[in-house]
Amino acid sequence: MATEMHPGIQPQPIQQQPGVPMQPLPSGIEMPRDPDPKPGPNDEGGRSMEEYDSGFCPVLFSALIALIFFPIAICTCIKIVQEYERVVIFRLGKILGGGTKGPGVIIVWPCIDEYKTVDLRTKSINVAPQSILTKDSVSVTVDAVVYYRVSNAVLSVAKVEDVDQSTSLLAQTAIRNALGTKTLAEILSGRDETVSRLQTQLDEGTDRWGIKVERVEIKDVRLPPQLQRAMAAEAEAGREARAKVIAAEGEMNAAKALKQASDIITQSEAAIQLRYLQTMGQVSSEKNSTVLFPIPIDMGLMDFARAKKQA
């Protein structure tokens, strides 16, 4: 049974008295509702405090995570390039326009950028010992060293996989080709020419890789022990032959000088006597106990001089 309301009378909300329990309404009577509810003092947007707390916590958590990982992200993105270095950046697989980056501070974006650091300083590689058969069929072992640097960082990264290994292998091949066409004497005597030729060949071969070969040096040329002994014997025999020739030439020159001296002395009898006395003085200076000389002094010498003049 519904309660009839007068059309001009608005229903009033039922207020509960403090300390008095609310009685249930009879069947058919509905609780009047507030037509214009006002927000509570703790909810200005019409939401409950539970809804407000559930939306604020994720925002606070996200801000905390961002604050923690911000320094890590900065360290990942910012790179410092030294003065002697250059950096080649690949963005989505392509080399970034503008060539190399650096020196200084650069930015590398994670997930889309990859970078390769190239050292521009001069490097040296010891070429492995090469066993070479020369033009005159002599087996020698050559040790060399190559000095090079990167002149184009983009080419050194994009055109060759391993610059150091490729340069070393090319140097070994160039040394074998250059020294294999020379004799042993040419290798030992013309080392400067050989080094210049090697440097030119290596520089031309590595230019397309962005490499500049600055210098090539041959450290050592090792010969087999048997060949070393044979060369030593040959050199010793040559030295002995030259010594004999020099001694024979000295004796010939001495004989010529004696002949000229004898011709001059025979022209004067007094000169023969003076030469005789000079010889006696030289003999007596050697502390000999006995000295023999003919008396008179001109005995035999004058006759020899006169006989030579008459002849």
Side-chain angles (χ1 to χ4, degrees), residues 14 16 37 43 69 87 128 150 178 196 206 211 218 224 243 256 274 288:
I14 300 175
Q16 181 180 1
D43 189 5
F69 287 96
V87 173
V150 177
S196 178
T206 58
I211 302 299
I218 296 178
K256 289 180 180 180
L274 292 175
N288 294 324

Side-chain angles (χ1 to χ4, degrees), residues 79 81 85-91 95 99-101 106 108 113-119 123 153-154 156-158 160-164:
K79 304 296 181 182
V81 182
E85 294 178 339
R86 295 297 183 271
V87 173
V88 180
I89 299 178
F90 293 86
R91 180 162 294 173
I95 296 178
T100 59
K101 305 297 181 182
I106 63 173
V108 179
D113 286 351
E114 294 182 3
Y115 69 95
K116 178 72 173 180
T117 304
V118 181
D119 195 337
K123 299 179 181 179
V154 176
S156 67
V157 173
V160 63
E161 180 179 2
D162 192 341
V163 173
D164 299 335

Side-chain angles (χ1 to χ4, degrees):
M1 178 176 180
T3 304
E4 296 182 359
M5 302 290 297
H6 193 274
I9 299 174
Q10 297 293 334
Q12 298 294 328
I14 300 175
Q15 298 181 354
Q16 181 180 1
Q17 298 295 329
V20 179
M22 179 177 287
Q23 299 295 329
L25 296 177
S27 61
I29 300 177
E30 296 180 355
M31 178 68 69
R33 299 179 180 179
D34 191 356
D36 187 14
K38 297 181 180 181
N42 297 329
D43 189 5
E44 297 180 356
R47 295 178 300 175
S48 63
M49 292 301 295
E50 290 78 3
E51 294 178 353
Y52 183 77
D53 292 341
S54 63
F56 177 74
C57 290
V59 174
L60 181 61
F61 182 74
S62 300
L64 183 61
I65 293 297
L67 184 62
I68 292 174
F69 287 96
F70 180 75
I72 301 176
I74 291 296
C75 295
T76 305
C77 295
I78 295 179
K79 304 296 181 182
I80 298 177
V81 182
Q82 303 296 333
E83 181 68 27
Y84 53 84
E85 294 178 339
R86 295 297 183 271
V87 173
V88 180
I89 299 178
F90 293 86
R91 180 162 294 173
L92 298 178
K94 297 181 179 180
I95 296 178
L96 194 63
T100 59
K101 305 297 181 182
V105 179
I106 63 173
I107 296 178
V108 179
W109 300 108
C111 302
I112 63 173
D113 286 351
E114 294 182 3
Y115 69 95
K116 178 72 173 180
T117 304
V118 181
D119 195 337
L120 301 183
R121 293 176 293 182
T122 300
K123 299 179 181 179
S124 62
I125 54 174
N126 288 319
V127 181
Q130 300 296 308
S131 298
I132 301 171
L133 186 64
T134 62
K135 188 176 181 180
D136 52 351
S137 301
V138 178
S139 178
V140 297
T141 303
V142 179
D143 291 338
V145 59
V146 178
Y147 298 90
Y148 70 96
R149 61 179 176 86
V150 177
S151 59
N152 192 323
V154 176
L155 293 179
S156 67
V157 173
K159 297 298 182 180
V160 63
E161 180 179 2
D162 192 341
V163 173
D164 299 335
Q165 184 179 6
S166 300
T167 304
S168 177
L169 294 177
L170 184 61
Q172 296 177 19
T173 305
I175 290 174
R176 297 176 69 89
N177 293 337
L179 300 184
T181 58
K182 294 181 176 294
T183 62
L184 179 61
E186 292 175 349
I187 293 175
L188 297 178
S189 61
R191 182 170 295 189
D192 295 337
E193 180 184 357
T194 304
V195 166
S196 178
R197 181 180 175 184
L198 282 174
Q199 181 177 350
T200 302
Q201 291 182 355
L202 286 176
D203 198 14
E204 292 176 355
T206 58
D207 184 63
R208 62 180 179 272
W209 299 340
I211 302 299
K212 173 64 177 177
V213 178
E214 295 182 344
R215 192 171 182 179
V216 179
E217 291 292 340
I218 296 178
K219 296 191 299 182
D220 187 20
V221 179
R222 294 194 295 271
L223 305 176
Q226 298 83 358
L227 182 59
Q228 292 181 10
R229 289 193 293 268
M231 293 180 65
E234 180 182 0
E236 185 178 357
R239 287 192 296 268
E240 291 179 356
R242 287 193 297 269
K244 291 179 179 180
V245 170
I246 293 173
E249 290 177 353
E251 292 178 358
M252 181 179 64
N253 294 332
K256 289 180 180 180
L258 289 174
K259 181 179 180 300
Q260 294 176 0
S262 64
D263 294 339
I264 295 173
I265 290 174
T266 54
Q267 296 176 2
S268 175
E269 297 179 357
I272 296 177
Q273 292 183 2
L274 292 175
R275 180 59 181 165
Y276 179 77
L277 293 175
Q278 184 181 4
T279 304
M280 295 297 295
Q282 292 178 355
V283 172
S284 63
S285 64
E286 296 178 359
K287 299 180 180 180
N288 294 324
S289 59
T290 303
V291 177
L292 300 177
F293 59 90
I295 298 175
I297 297 176
D298 59 350
M299 182 182 299
L301 296 177
M302 295 301 180
D303 296 338
F304 176 75
R306 292 190 188 97
K308 189 171 183 181
K309 284 182 179 181
Q310 292 175 1

